[in-house]
Amino acid sequence: MKLFVYHTPELTPTDCLPDCAVVVDVLRATTTIATALNAGAEAVQAFKDLDELMNKSAAWLPEKRLRAGERGGQKVENCDLGNSPLDCTPKLVGGKRLFISTTNGTRALQRVEQAPTVITAAIVNRQAAVNYLLKNQPETVWIVGSGWEGSYSLEDTACAGAIAMSLLNQSSDLVGNDEVIAAIALYTQWQDNLLKMFHQCSHGQRLLKLDGDEDLKYCATIDLLDVLPIQKEPGVF
Ligand code: 3SL
């Protein structure tokens, strides 16, 4: 396995794709996706574009769908939900398809959706992602952080480091770019206090201003969920 970390979707090569892409948006899209599937959602379907989300989801019975829309950290008008993973309870999402569009996470998903395998990871399901990679041994793996509107997000790279560190314990021969080593160094520095990191990083601060304290706590809980979102068709997990 050769592992590459890219801090943002914009930094990924444009002339190739990996055998497996791991998309990370710790705050909060990939945490929400894992939580919704763990709570029994029938599927999660991700859209970069809100109008497309509205059009596609209109074909579903209202009682079988939920529309989750977030822009700038806030719920989009006319959607049932924003992007808080804590809203994804079994009672609310069980048996339903979650149609979701977020500022950065769903854009990152779209960037790599043509890769043969696409999975999503966050701190809450880090071990499930590691287990999948160890079991399936894809030749090339990209971990792609979602960032914020094209710029770097500390928490996504820390999650990439959490995954890479666990993989590196099994094989010393997997480093594909220097970002892997940097991500591991970042995670090593903060692993005992991810919540403190989330309180300091720019998107964490943005969410705190929007009363996101409980979301940050939840998103910082390592290996909470044994669930792995795997793309079944472009955008659908
Ligand atoms: O940018 C995104 O995709 C979101 O996860 C941002 S937020 O955490 O919902 O504000």
Side-chain angles (χ1 to χ4, degrees):
M1 193 191 306
K2 267 287 180 252
L3 183 64
F4 298 79
V5 168
Y6 296 104
H7 301 306
T8 66
E10 290 77 9
L11 290 170
T12 57
T14 49
D15 57 348
C16 60
L17 282 167
D19 298 303
C20 178
V22 183
V23 176
V24 173
D25 184 13
V26 173
L27 299 176
R28 296 166 291 177
T30 57
T31 304
T32 297
I33 292 171
T35 304
L37 291 174
N38 190 64
E42 175 264 321
V44 175
Q45 187 159 358
F47 296 85
K48 183 173 141 186
D49 184 67
L50 271 166
D51 291 336
E52 203 190 335
L53 180 157
M54 288 298 176
N55 290 339
K56 284 267 166 60
S57 58
W60 286 67
L61 289 173
E63 60 273 24
K64 288 281 176 198
R65 70 164 191 235
L66 282 168
R67 290 162 164 161
E70 168 276 328
R71 288 295 179 269
Q74 291 181 291
K75 175 178 170 294
V76 171
E77 221 183 311
N78 297 330
C79 284
D80 306 299
L81 302 170
N83 187 26
S84 171
L86 298 178
D87 288 340
C88 295
T89 59
K91 188 164 177 238
L92 188 68
V93 305
K96 295 184 188 156
R97 180 167 292 215
L98 187 70
F99 293 87
I100 187 168
S101 178
T102 69
T103 312
N104 303 286
T106 51
R107 218 161 41 93
L109 285 170
Q110 203 177 45
R111 164 69 193 95
V112 292
E113 69 181 9
Q114 298 302 329
T117 305
V118 182
I119 64 177
T120 73
I123 292 293
V124 291
N125 70 332
R126 184 275 309 245
Q127 192 59 48
V130 169
N131 291 346
Y132 176 88
L133 295 170
L134 289 175
K135 183 166 172 223
N136 293 281
Q137 291 290 327
E139 221 166 280
T140 51
V141 176
W142 291 1
I143 305 181
V144 183
S146 298
W148 185 267
E149 294 178 341
S151 60
Y152 168 83
S153 278
L154 202 61
E155 68 280 7
D156 290 343
T157 299
C159 182
I163 296 168
M165 193 169 87
S166 193
L167 293 172
L168 201 65
N169 287 337
Q170 323 285 325
S171 150
S172 55
D173 186 32
L174 58 74
V175 174
N177 63 0
D178 284 359
E179 286 87 334
V180 176
I181 300 165
I184 291 173
L186 180 69
Y187 179 66
T188 306
Q189 160 111 4
W190 289 94
Q191 61 182 326
D192 295 328
N193 209 341
L194 286 173
L195 185 56
K196 191 169 173 197
M197 170 195 269
F198 291 3
H199 275 252
Q200 289 185 16
C201 65
S202 56
H203 190 45
Q205 297 213 348
R206 190 177 292 115
L207 290 173
L208 285 173
K209 286 191 194 120
L210 298 168
D211 291 329
D213 311 49
E214 292 305 315
D215 276 21
L216 292 198
K217 270 188 216 152
Y218 179 80
C219 293
T221 315
I222 192 136
D223 300 338
L224 178 70
L225 307 175
D226 187 18
V227 64
L228 186 70
I230 302 186
Q231 185 175 255
K232 299 180 208 142
E233 58 185 88
V236 180
F237 293 83

